[in-house]
Amino acid sequence: MEVSETIESVRNMVRAAGRQGRKIGLVPTMGALHVGHISLIEAAVKDCDFVVVSIFVNPTQFGPDEDLDNYPRPFEADLEICRKAGVDVVFAPAPQQMYPAENLSWVTVEKLTEPLCGRGRPVHFRGVTTVCTKLFNIVAPDVAYFGQKDAQQAIVVRRMVADLNMSLEIVVCPTVRESNGLAVSSRNQYLSEQQKQDATNIYKSLQTCRRMIDAGVSESRQIIAEMRKMLQQVPSIEIEYVSIVDAETLESVDKIAGTVLVAVAVKIGSARLIDNILVDAGT
Ligand code: AMP
């Protein structure tokens, strides 16, 4: 496995692989790799002939009061995980490599970035779409892999790729969870054992929602009230949002029909945690 810190060297490696007719897969990450990331890497290794994992804690997707400085960076352990998983190249640029000068060019996706996480994190998606565009331009992958865990991000990136005629396929892989339902996240490291236990209520609230929809309840307001009640049973949970939205437009749904995205964001201690499920309510 090669480790590249420069745009030039990763480009050269990918171009050489491309000339041999190899299908290029990219897994963009911020490192602190866990089983969720590994599931994306495994999908890429299975589908592609040459896999690049990028490890870059992208400063432009963090707000001023967020955890950029404290974000975990266990680089050697990440390399070991990539090596074991059969990755061809880890692209790990320094911030200076990706943003050598004041960044004046941004990619923004409208509307889809306004609700849910966009409300509390106003610059986040602009940073995500800009860095993904940079990574897509640098690596020129045939396929890029994202996780359903960050559902809004996947929807926004997919839309950007379609709207801007970018020449790659976006694959979204299912959310990997702990056995107690907690979605695996690099930010779970910020939680104490008690807080981890508290955080299992997030997935429990999503399951409550699924059960209510399956039982025929169609008023979002009623379901959201029940989910909030469940989350509020745990005093350490501070709710940012509990939303039921159309799975494509991300617009709020009052009367549930078709496929909806049920999404939750909370804070527990210093950790901001998100989770979601897709529910098909039929027509
Ligand atoms: P991050 O390093 O948090 O930016 O995540 C990199 C990619 O891994 C994103 O596409 C995430 O959606 C995905 N990811 C993170 N956690 C999980 C998980 N528990 N299951 C599946 N994908 C995940």
Side-chain angles (χ1 to χ4, degrees):
M1 186 180 79
E2 301 287 340
V3 179
S4 162
E5 293 180 358
T6 67
I7 291 167
E8 192 190 355
S9 72
V10 73
R11 265 201 179 131
N12 286 339
M13 288 187 253
V14 172
R15 281 186 183 147
R19 276 195 297 274
Q20 294 167 353
R22 294 164 83 176
K23 183 173 171 184
I24 315 290
L26 170 67
V27 183
T29 82
M30 298 205 300
L33 301 181
H34 51 61
V35 287
H37 298 114
I38 294 171
S39 73
L40 270 54
I41 296 171
E42 284 173 349
V45 168
K46 187 157 166 270
D47 295 351
C48 301
D49 310 305
F50 191 85
V51 173
V52 180
V53 171
S54 60
I55 297 181
F56 180 60
V57 183
N58 174 37
T60 65
Q61 70 189 66
F62 287 77
D65 299 323
E66 296 182 10
D67 56 345
L68 172 63
D69 292 338
N70 297 329
Y71 200 83
R73 291 166 170 88
F75 189 57
E76 289 306 320
D78 286 350
L79 291 185
E80 199 43 43
I81 286 172
C82 290
R83 218 171 266 128
K84 280 203 184 120
V87 170
D88 294 282
V89 183
V90 169
F91 176 49
Q96 268 296 100
Q97 180 69 200
M98 292 296 275
Y99 298 102
E102 183 190 359
N103 204 60
L104 302 180
S105 306
W106 300 96
V107 181
T108 55
V109 174
E110 297 177 359
K111 285 191 180 169
L112 295 174
T113 54
E114 287 166 15
L116 307 177
C117 292
R119 205 156 282 146
R121 305 186 78 191
V123 300
H124 174 68
F125 288 111
R126 181 185 80 154
V128 168
T129 43
T130 300
V131 82
C132 283
T133 300
K134 287 160 83 69
L135 290 168
F136 296 166
N137 284 336
I138 292 163
V139 176
D142 297 294
V143 193
Y145 295 81
F146 290 83
Q148 176 64 26
K149 156 80 169 43
D150 298 272
Q152 189 175 13
Q153 167 173 281
I155 289 167
V156 166
V157 170
R158 229 193 239 293
R159 184 57 182 250
M160 173 187 80
V161 165
D163 283 352
L164 299 181
N165 307 99
M166 293 181 175
S167 165
L168 76 158
E169 183 193 343
I170 300 297
V171 169
V172 181
C173 301
T175 303
V176 177
R177 302 178 179 284
E178 309 269 5
S179 55
N180 60 16
L182 177 63
V184 180
S185 164
S186 308
R187 290 189 166 101
N188 291 352
Q189 293 184 26
Y190 301 146
L191 302 173
S192 67
E193 284 311 309
Q194 180 58 50
Q195 288 171 327
K196 268 188 200 154
Q197 184 54 40
D198 293 351
T200 60
N201 256 41
I202 302 168
Y203 187 56
K204 283 186 199 144
S205 75
L206 292 168
Q207 283 176 310
T208 298
C209 173
R210 189 191 294 282
R211 267 199 302 276
M212 289 178 82
I213 293 175
D214 287 348
V217 181
S218 62
E219 290 287 337
S220 287
R221 209 154 16 124
Q222 190 184 340
I223 298 173
I224 289 170
E226 204 55 45
M227 292 174 70
R228 282 183 161 271
K229 214 191 293 169
M230 177 142 214
L231 291 165
Q232 280 158 351
Q233 283 167 4
V234 179
S236 68
I237 291 184
E238 192 187 315
I239 299 174
E240 184 181 311
Y241 65 73
V242 176
S243 300
I244 301 180
V245 298
D246 182 280
E248 281 174 24
T249 64
L250 301 185
E251 283 166 10
S252 277
V253 168
D254 295 332
K255 199 106 185 132
I256 295 170
T259 303
V260 290
L261 176 72
V262 189
V264 174
V266 304
K267 259 193 121 173
I268 301 184
S270 65
R272 181 180 180 280
L273 304 176
I274 57 172
D275 199 355
N276 70 86
I277 53 169
L278 285 168
V279 184
D280 182 2
T283 44

